[in-house]
């Protein structure tokens, strides 16, 4: 289950994502991101588990100028591998 908290600060939108992110959560996350006309940051400090579709999304998000902070190291490594495969 996922919980997303939104904070707008200094013209930037921060989404604190908490819990387990699965591919079924991606439509909600994408909708939130698309609803703001400002640079976005995903704070993944509270994330414990993701699946492959989520990693693909995160890699694309970062490639398209999104920012990811507090990313657990195993997820960060997986994102780097996904980006290298492109």
């Amino acid at each position: 289950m996922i919980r997303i908290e939104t904070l707008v600060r200094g013209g930037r939108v921060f989404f604190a994502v908490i819990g387990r992110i699965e591919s079924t959560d991606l439509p909600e996350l994408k909708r939130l991101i698309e609803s703001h006309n400002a640079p976005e940051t995903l704070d993944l400090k509270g994330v414990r588990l993701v699946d492959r579709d989520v990693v693909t999304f995160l890699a694309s998000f970062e490639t398209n100028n999104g920012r990811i902070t507090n990313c657990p190291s195993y997820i960060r490594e997986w994102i780097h591998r996904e980006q290298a495969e492109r």
Side-chain angles (χ1 to χ4, degrees):
M1 183 167 188
I2 186 177
R3 188 173 89 218
I4 304 168
E5 297 174 358
T6 305
L7 172 68
V8 179
R9 184 175 49 204
R12 189 164 196 96
V13 180
F14 296 82
F15 298 105
V17 185
I18 301 153
R20 176 182 182 162
I21 311 174
E22 298 177 337
S23 57
T24 57
D25 299 312
L26 287 176
E28 177 185 358
L29 186 56
K30 289 176 183 178
R31 182 188 57 76
L32 282 172
I33 290 169
E34 291 169 359
S35 70
H36 292 87
N37 290 326
E40 292 95 5
T41 298
L42 293 177
D43 183 336
L44 302 183
K45 183 177 182 178
V47 172
R48 299 292 168 241
L49 189 62
V50 296
D51 65 23
R52 181 162 181 82
D53 290 338
V54 172
V55 170
T56 301
F57 166 76
L58 293 173
S60 176
F61 174 80
E62 204 167 48
T63 299
N64 293 318
N65 297 319
R67 187 169 160 216
I68 298 174
T69 62
N70 299 313
C71 188
S73 59
Y74 86 93
I75 297 173
R76 171 56 60 204
E77 290 174 29
W78 202 0
I79 290 170
H80 285 310
R81 283 195 308 263
E82 181 68 27
Q83 290 169 330
E85 290 177 9
R86 291 180 178 191

